[in-house]
Amino acid sequence: MLRTLLGRSKGGGEQICNVCSEAPAIGVFSSRFGPVSHAACGNCADQGAESLFMICFHIHRTGGPEKAKQRFAKARSFHDGKYIGLKEILTVYPEFEDEFQDY
Ligand SMILES: [Zn+2]
């Protein structure tokens, strides 16, 4: 697993997990699906979960849910207080799709 701990100076405030927004991030992790990175807490890192927004964005860039099924089969994210897999991600995906139309 890629774990690149940021050498953040003290006093700058704690960075919150980009995935669940509920816990302080323990480090910055590379996405499995694109050239982006995100801050994640220990739980999300262990789950291999990525921000729902970013996963939906990658799905959009891939060509939509139909094309994403294979590539994102192991995708994990966090929504409504629990970790979710691709099936649930695709259920929420339409809520994000409108935001991606400009890209
Ligand atoms: Zn988290």
Side-chain angles (χ1 to χ4, degrees), residues 57 60 93-94 96-103:
F57 183 66
H60 173 71
Y93 174 77
F96 291 89
E97 201 173 20
D98 284 350
E99 298 187 40
F100 300 147
Q101 294 307 319
D102 293 339
Y103 293 92

Side-chain angles (χ1 to χ4, degrees), residues 16-25 39-45 49 78 83:
I16 295 296
C17 175
N18 291 158
V19 183
C20 66
S21 304
E22 289 183 348
C41 69
N43 283 341
C44 292
F78 190 90
Y83 291 100

Side-chain angles (χ1 to χ4, degrees), residues 24-67:
I26 61 164
V28 172
F29 300 84
S30 296
S31 169
R32 285 178 290 168
F33 306 110
V36 291
S37 57
H38 57 277
C41 69
N43 283 341
C44 292
D46 286 347
Q47 289 277 341
E50 299 187 25
S51 124
L52 190 57
F53 182 87
M54 281 316 305
I55 288 189
C56 288
F57 183 66
H58 291 317
I59 289 172
H60 173 71
R61 293 291 298 263
T62 300
E66 281 306 315
K67 292 189 175 168

